Amino acid sequence: MYVDFMNYMGHCNFELVPKWLFDVFPPLKYLMYTPSFHSLHHTQFRTNYSLFMPFYDYVYGTIDKSSDEQYERSLKGKEERPHVVHLTHLTNLQSIYHLRFGFSSLASKPYTPKYYMWIMWPLTLASMLLTWIYGTAFTAERNRFKKLIMETRVVPRYIFQYKSSSERDAINTLIEKAILQSEEEGAKVISLGLLNQGSALNGYGELYLKRNSLLKTKIVDGTSLAVAGVLNSVPKGTNSILLVGNLSKMAYFLSLTLCKRGVQVEMVQKDKYELLKLQLPPELHGHLVLSDSYASEVWLVGDGVTDQEQLRASKGIRFIPFTQFPPKLVRKDCIYHCTPAMVVPRTYENLHTCENWLPRSVMSAWRVAGIVHALEEWNGHECGDTVTGVEKAWHAALAHGFLPFQGCKLG
């Protein structure tokens, strides 16, 4: 299998061996050939004879002097620079197999843990250590839509590392490095996915603006479109909604928009109620209510919701998450909505894999927000306390062909 793989790779006429592989393990340069190395054998004829292992060409002096230059040039090639970069990260240890270069059969379906994947734990552990050592975000996917070229780049860190305060500075360095690299490449927008926009981590991306005040690339956390996606999932005619979970930028702008529309927002935790009330304009305080029950038929669910809270819900309650991570499915008699997402237009090219737990051809609202931001050529950032505008973002997304995704299921 190894011989066949190397033979096919050597004759593919496309340089696909990344430079970081040799940076991490320099001796590999003498133990493994690259497509550009072997292409010189076919063009120069009297050099680079070694099949698979360049070591012998170095020993016997048949190495082509332009091998390194050819490799560097092939990597650069005529690579098209992205207009939009979506920055995500790995989730649990098995998630690396669900990337495009992992197992295509897994990547083409929504992510669910597979018990049989644990037999690969030695490889999984090795990949975790490699990603820990590897000090930069890597490209997992490239797409096209209309006039835009887009890339999804992965920060080589897992959720458990994001939850560690000792890893915070290192992760922020990785994210900032990816942002500055995107700016150097001419990207118009970089959108922050999953925990890359955490409040405690970087203040919803505002940290990077403070460190780089002249940043031209627009940082988008996608709050406006994500809020619009949540509101679109609320059944028409709903007069009251229960807000549960940790407070966040999303929770504030959801409450603000609902109160402006005359919808009563109920909360059961007094400390969070008081905090949110201080943030809302005084004229809207009448629409924010401290409740002593969980009787509302629609719940907006944030991070931190406990199993005990879900068990207090009545039968048939709708759980609508407003975070990038779906809630735990505790109740089998209740309806769980998908995290805010949109169906991509048919003209969106090269989207063959699933984004985390979303179906194919469905994209998180936070990721769509970056694309729409670039298509509309909006000139501001959407990070920190700043938002683009809920209605503005929603109508722009619909105008470009993105459609609401109403995925839901019984627990």
Side-chain angles (χ1 to χ4, degrees):
M1 288 179 66
Y2 174 75
V3 169
D4 281 343
F5 172 77
M6 294 297 290
N7 192 31
Y8 290 135
M9 184 185 75
H11 292 89
C12 72
N13 201 35
F14 178 82
E15 187 53 74
L16 48 77
V17 181
K19 188 174 183 299
W20 63 262
L21 201 60
F22 298 114
D23 293 337
V24 171
F25 188 61
L28 197 61
K29 175 182 178 180
Y30 305 100
L31 303 176
M32 167 187 170
Y33 80 161
T34 65
S36 60
F37 178 93
H38 192 61
S39 71
L40 288 170
H41 170 73
H42 290 285
T43 56
Q44 304 302 321
F45 307 116
R46 297 184 180 276
T47 58
N48 294 7
Y49 289 108
S50 298
L51 194 60
F52 313 153
M53 195 178 295
F55 172 77
Y56 293 102
D57 279 311
Y58 282 98
V59 170
Y60 293 108
T62 53
I63 185 75
D64 195 294
K65 294 180 180 180
S66 64
S67 294
D68 291 340
E69 181 185 349
Q70 173 84 342
Y71 173 68
E72 298 280 353
R73 188 167 59 250
S74 298
L75 281 177
K76 293 179 180 178
K78 297 180 180 178
E79 185 177 356
E80 295 175 305
R81 300 299 180 93
H83 301 108
V84 180
V85 173
H86 179 63
L87 198 62
T88 183
H89 60 78
L90 299 164
T91 51
N92 65 16
L93 293 180
Q94 290 186 16
S95 63
I96 197 164
Y97 301 122
H98 290 256
L99 296 176
R100 189 167 190 155
F101 56 78
F103 293 102
S104 58
S105 59
L106 297 179
S108 64
K109 299 175 184 177
Y111 173 77
T112 52
K114 303 291 192 301
Y115 71 91
Y116 55 80
M117 293 299 292
W118 287 110
I119 64 175
M120 299 182 65
W121 71 264
L123 181 60
T124 305
L125 180 61
S127 69
M128 186 198 74
L129 294 175
L130 181 62
T131 55
W132 208 324
I133 295 170
Y134 182 39
T136 188
F138 58 88
T139 300
E141 187 174 83
R142 291 185 176 90
N143 313 104
R144 284 179 178 272
F145 180 57
K146 295 187 176 181
K147 59 183 179 180
L148 297 182
I149 300 169
M150 290 149 292
E151 286 189 3
T152 298
R153 295 181 183 173
V154 180
V155 175
R157 293 295 183 271
Y158 296 86
I159 287 177
F160 74 89
Q161 292 167 306
Y162 277 80
K163 293 181 178 180
S164 171
S165 58
S166 62
E167 287 284 317
R168 187 173 299 167
D169 290 341
I171 291 173
N172 273 322
T173 299
L174 286 171
I175 296 173
E176 186 174 11
K177 183 179 178 181
I179 292 173
L180 295 178
Q181 181 183 346
S182 299
E183 164 130 313
E184 185 179 340
E185 294 173 358
K188 298 178 181 179
V189 172
I190 184 163
S191 54
L192 302 177
L194 300 181
L195 298 177
N196 287 327
Q197 53 162 281
S199 174
L201 181 68
N202 52 43
Y204 307 110
E206 189 175 26
L207 173 66
Y208 311 121
L209 289 185
K210 290 180 178 179
R211 290 181 177 179
N212 307 276
S213 57
L214 301 179
L215 194 68
K216 294 180 180 178
T217 300
K218 305 307 176 187
I219 299 177
V220 174
D221 65 16
T223 299
S224 294
L225 191 57
V227 167
V230 173
L231 296 177
N232 185 71
S233 299
V234 176
K236 292 182 179 180
T238 301
N239 297 317
S240 66
I241 286 178
L242 181 66
L243 182 73
V244 292
N246 299 332
L247 293 182
S248 62
K249 182 179 178 179
M250 278 287 297
Y252 168 73
F253 280 102
L254 270 171
S255 302
L256 178 66
T257 308
L258 287 167
C259 289
K260 284 182 177 179
R261 294 182 179 183
V263 178
Q264 180 173 289
V265 177
E266 300 178 1
M267 300 183 71
V268 293
Q269 292 178 296
K270 187 175 181 179
D271 55 340
K272 294 179 180 178
Y273 163 79
E274 296 291 349
L275 183 59
L276 185 57
K277 188 175 181 180
L278 288 174
Q279 295 176 316
L280 290 174
E283 62 270 21
L284 298 179
H285 287 178
H287 295 288
L288 185 66
V289 177
L290 180 62
S291 175
D292 57 358
S293 71
Y294 292 80
S296 179
E297 295 181 358
V298 178
W299 290 26
L300 297 186
V301 181
D303 293 326
V305 174
T306 64
D307 295 354
Q308 289 71 25
E309 285 181 303
Q310 290 196 43
L311 291 173
R312 298 185 66 173
S314 303
K315 181 180 178 180
I317 291 297
R318 290 181 178 272
F319 295 113
I320 304 177
F322 59 84
T323 69
Q324 300 208 35
F325 293 89
K328 182 180 178 182
L329 275 60
V330 176
R331 299 286 298 272
K332 294 184 178 180
D333 56 353
C334 293
I335 301 171
Y336 288 82
H337 283 246
C338 178
T339 53
M342 303 192 79
V343 181
V344 303
R346 290 183 178 274
T347 53
Y348 197 97
E349 299 177 22
N350 210 30
L351 189 64
H352 305 305
T353 61
C354 292
E355 182 182 351
N356 298 316
W357 37 83
L358 298 174
R360 287 182 74 172
S361 300
V362 175
M363 190 179 289
S364 69
W366 292 270
R367 184 176 171 186
V368 175
I371 298 169
V372 172
H373 206 94
L375 287 169
E376 291 290 313
E377 298 183 353
W378 289 330
N379 199 33
H381 299 276
E382 185 178 54
C383 59
D385 295 328
T386 306
V387 292
T388 301
V390 174
E391 294 295 332
K392 179 180 178 181
W394 183 248
H395 290 303
L398 295 178
H400 287 290
F402 292 93
L403 298 174
F405 177 66
Q406 300 289 359
C408 55
K409 57 185 175 181
L410 291 175

